[in-house]
Every structure is written in structure tokens, then in C-alpha cells.
Amino acid sequence: MGKSLKAGLQAGFHTTWTLGKIIFPVTLIVSLLQYTPILGWVAKLITPLMGIFGLSGEAAIPLVIGNFLNLYAGIGAILSLDLTVKEVFILALMLSFSHNLLIESSVAAKVGLKLWVILAVRIGLALISAFVVNLVWQGGGEMAQYGFVSSTEVTPNGWLEIIGIALQKAGLGVVQLALIVIPLMIAIQYLKDLGLLKVFTRWMAPVTRFLGMKENTSMTLVAGLTIGLAYGAGVMIQAVKEDNVSKKDLTLAFIFLVACHAVVEDTLIFIPLGIPVLPLLIIRLVVAVVLTITIATIWRRAEAAPRRKEATYEN
């Protein structure tokens, strides 16, 4: 048992260090940007495009903040605006697919995936889903009634306080990462040493096969679904090393997860916005499943094409 604890701690600290080197500087820079005109400039740039998605120009503000920072920041910005239920739902859907882009995409790149693929999938899903919902849904014109979340935030006094807040946020981000990843790695190590991980993998086998992946991607999928991309990346990195997860399966798992990660938490936090969250959850799940199966099928056919040609030449 002591051996399992030691191995789990080593894996946890190593993963925290690996991801912390990304999370700390990115969080620091983005937190500083929050107090500069830069985010406002970006919001102004995309304001003319908002009408395509059924949004008013000011809806660009929570979109930019949510993508540069996180869902909570995006929700805070929504609470400061007078928007219709339809607008809030569309914003929630877009931010579900595309939020915290800098950190989560950087972490995905650390796992071994191409950064442009992750960005293209996340931003593409956000834009397409918003366009389709705006086209299909004719209701939701009443003003949104927000619940119990407060949108107030303390304004720092001067750049010294701003830098202090940014350093605090960056440090807390790494601490939060450690508090999640280290116990998780220890638990996984115990499960592995007790042989329970193989049992769990067998249980997940029908799901992974249905999505076009091998059984050994099960831990990657579950980690991303439950605790998200940034924190789940620790488990993913470990899985790639120890479970021999192929580049193809890892890419498919990430494509599924960029559409549908931290699915419970990221859905429930939208409840105070007064929108129907069940359709939000269903859309994310359906999109993730359909997209992953489609790409897996195309990939499989592309791999099979050279073999068919060789067989034809031989005959």
C-alpha cells in the first residue's frame, strides 16, 4: 500500500508541475489583461457579427471574457446585462463549447494534440450551435430573470493591487490543480495496483467502442467528463504514458471532450441565469457523440483506403 501511495504522489506532483508551468503564466497574463482596454477592443471588433447569432452587440463582452477567462467570469458579465432568455441560452451554449480557451487549449497541446485542431473544433462548435439555435428557436423573447448569483466584483486600486490579484489567482489556480490532481493520481494508482482499473475499463468498453476508440481511453474520457480538460489533463498525460493510448484515440477523446467536458458542473452553473439547462446538456452530449463518431468513421475509412488499393493491385 505504501508503494502505491508513493507512486501516486510522484505522478501527482510531476503532473502538477507539468501543468502548473502552463496554468500559472497564462492565468497571470489573462488576469492582468482583464484590467486593460484589450478585452474591450476585442469585444468591439466582434460586435458587428453578433446579429448573425441572434445576439445584441453588448453580448460580445461576456463572450470575450468567458473565452479569455472562464465560465464564471462569463456568467458574471452576463449578469450585468439586460438580455432575453434566448440570448442568455445562446451565450450559455457558446460558452459551454468555447471557454477558458488559452489555458484549456494550451493543456491540450501539452498532452500532444495540435493546438489549431482544438481551437477550430471549440470555436467552430460555438459558432455553428449558436447559428442553428437562433435559426430554429423562435421563442425566448422575454427578458431573463437572474437568480441568486451576484455580479459584483471588488475593483482594485492601482496596478500594484492588480498585480497582487493576478498573482493570487495564478497561484490559487496551481493550488487548486494540485488539490485535484494529486489525490486523483493516488486513487488511480491504488485502483491500478488492486486490479480494479481493468474492471472499470471493461465496463467502459461498449462506450469507447461506440465512439470509435479502444478500451484504454476510458480513464481519459471519464476524467475529462467529470473534472474538465484542464484538471483532467493530468489523468490524460498519465494514460498516454502508461496505457499506450494511441494518437488517434487521444485525438478522438479530446474531440469528444472539447464538446462535452466537466458536463455536470458546466451545466449546473448556468441554472442561476434562468435558462432551461436540460436542453443545454442534451445538445452538448448529442453534438459530442455525433461529431466523434463522424470523425472516427472518416478516419477509419481513410486508413482503410490504402489497404484496399494494395489488395486491388495484388489481385
Side-chain angles (χ1 to χ4, degrees), residues 156-217:
N157 184 21
W159 272 101
L160 197 62
E161 281 190 25
I162 288 172
I163 292 168
I165 290 169
L167 285 168
Q168 186 181 21
K169 283 182 180 178
L172 284 173
V174 177
V175 169
Q176 190 175 0
L177 174 73
L179 290 174
I180 293 171
V181 167
I182 293 172
L184 193 61
M185 289 299 186
I186 293 169
I188 289 172
Q189 189 63 47
Y190 273 110
L191 289 171
K192 194 178 296 177
D193 292 345
L194 292 169
L196 296 175
L197 213 54
K198 289 181 180 178
V199 176
F200 173 75
T201 301
R202 284 199 298 271
W203 287 347
M204 284 289 293
V207 177
T208 52
R209 278 199 301 269
F210 176 69
L211 293 170
M213 292 171 265
K214 291 178 183 174
E215 293 179 14
N216 57 1
T217 54

Side-chain angles (χ1 to χ4, degrees), residues 45-66:
L45 280 174
I46 66 171
T47 293
L49 301 173
M50 292 295 97
I52 300 171
F53 310 109
L55 299 171
S56 55
E58 60 184 359
I61 298 167
L63 267 184
V64 170
I65 290 174

Side-chain angles (χ1 to χ4, degrees), residues 118-135:
I118 300 302
L119 288 173
V121 172
R122 298 191 72 184
I123 295 170
L125 287 177
L127 297 178
I128 293 167
S129 62
F131 181 77
V132 172
V133 169
N134 180 45
L135 210 62

Side-chain angles (χ1 to χ4, degrees), residues 7 11 188-189 192 197 237-245:
I188 289 172
Q189 189 63 47
K192 194 178 296 177
L197 213 54
I237 290 171
Q238 200 71 5
V240 172
K241 286 180 183 176
E242 297 181 3
D243 300 339
N244 297 315
V245 176

